[in-house]
Amino acid sequence: MCNEMILVNTVNDHLRHKKTLLKLIDDFESLHDTRVVSGVENISSDWEMPKESKKEYLEYFFNDVIGETMDSISQTLGLSSWTAHDAWYQRYSEQGTHGWHNHGKTQFANCYFLELPDSSYKTEIVGSNGEIIEYDAKEGDVVTFPAWLKHRSKPNGKERKTIIAFNSSFELVTRALPEEL
């Protein structure tokens, strides 16, 4: 039995945000070489760009797009706050792929499907039983899952796929009651 927690949430006003985010990513790519040179991955990404690089799409993403969704996830988990650690985009053209991996030093991995013309190319996630976990996701959704789970992007179809990925941790903030002081 596989019962790992996979959360799927739809971002409000996705189509408006999509247009803005894609333009900001296009602008970033026009200024930087974001091709990932690897015989395995075949993608473009800003993952290896210096942390000091101005990433306006991330400013917009965290200030205007994802906060409400992450607050909702916090409530679903029964926790009171969230923090993002690292964030990047990845673009997959035809046959673009990202092999099996996991994310260390964080609680959850998150993937916002900014462009996902075919949901069969969503992130594949392997459960602790070694089997791929079935879940439904579409463009405009954020999938959140334990970061230690192996996951990948299988070779992409003909239409471009773009994601914004980020790591997150959640915390239960408790306050001391007067009688506990």
Side-chain angles (χ1 to χ4, degrees), residues 62 66-68 70-71 74 80-84 166 168-171:
F62 284 111
I66 201 65
E68 184 179 331
M70 294 304 289
D71 290 343
S74 291
S80 48
S81 67
W82 63 276
T83 304
F166 61 102
S168 61
S169 294
F170 295 85
E171 185 175 353

Side-chain angles (χ1 to χ4, degrees), residues 107-159:
Q107 293 173 340
F108 289 89
N110 306 269
C111 180
Y112 173 40
F113 296 110
L114 184 57
E115 288 182 303
L116 186 63
D118 182 343
S119 63
S120 67
Y121 295 103
K122 68 185 181 284
T123 301
E124 291 184 321
I125 305 166
V126 173
S128 58
N129 63 359
E131 295 179 13
I132 293 178
I133 299 171
E134 295 297 326
Y135 68 97
D136 292 322
K138 64 187 179 318
E139 182 177 291
D141 287 346
V142 174
V143 61
T144 300
F145 55 94
W148 61 269
L149 292 175
K150 288 190 306 187
H151 58 282
R152 75 168 185 163
S153 182
K154 67 182 181 181
N156 194 46
K158 293 183 184 288
E159 296 182 72

